[in-house]
Amino acid sequence: MSNTVETPDRVTMYGADWCRDCRRSEALLNELGVDWAKVDVEQSADAAQTAQAISGRMNIPVVHFPDGSHLVEPSDADLKAKLEALGAL
């Protein structure tokens, strides 16, 4: 696997169903009506490796944005602020 990760064309969240922070971020994205994609790191070792390559950490959720930036375990306020800054809301 290369060290570079392709920039997503929409907000992409790497997470797992058992993760409370992932469920919270997922609920916020849905509530705000954001066009986003979910990647379940439990379903694919490649997805888990990609999330780690993006963030440099093992923590989830990793929310990857179309501008190439990311947030790890963001608070609702931080995630909403980033989405507003991107014009995604």
Side-chain angles (χ1 to χ4, degrees), residues 5-46:
V5 175
E6 219 175 283
T7 302
D9 58 359
R10 63 182 172 156
V11 175
T12 303
M13 185 186 84
Y14 294 83
D17 290 341
W18 53 261
C19 168
R20 180 177 296 141
D21 287 332
C22 299
R23 291 194 309 265
R24 181 179 44 77
S25 291
E26 181 173 344
L28 181 64
L29 290 166
N30 288 335
E31 178 184 313
L32 296 173
V34 175
D35 177 27
W36 68 284
K38 179 179 180 179
V39 180
D40 189 333
V41 299
E42 291 289 295
Q43 300 300 315
S44 163
D46 287 344

Side-chain angles (χ1 to χ4, degrees), residues 59-76:
N59 308 62
I60 54 173
V62 174
V63 185
H64 197 196
F65 300 97
D67 68 354
S69 67
H70 70 277
L71 293 173
V72 179
E73 298 179 323
S75 68
D76 284 355

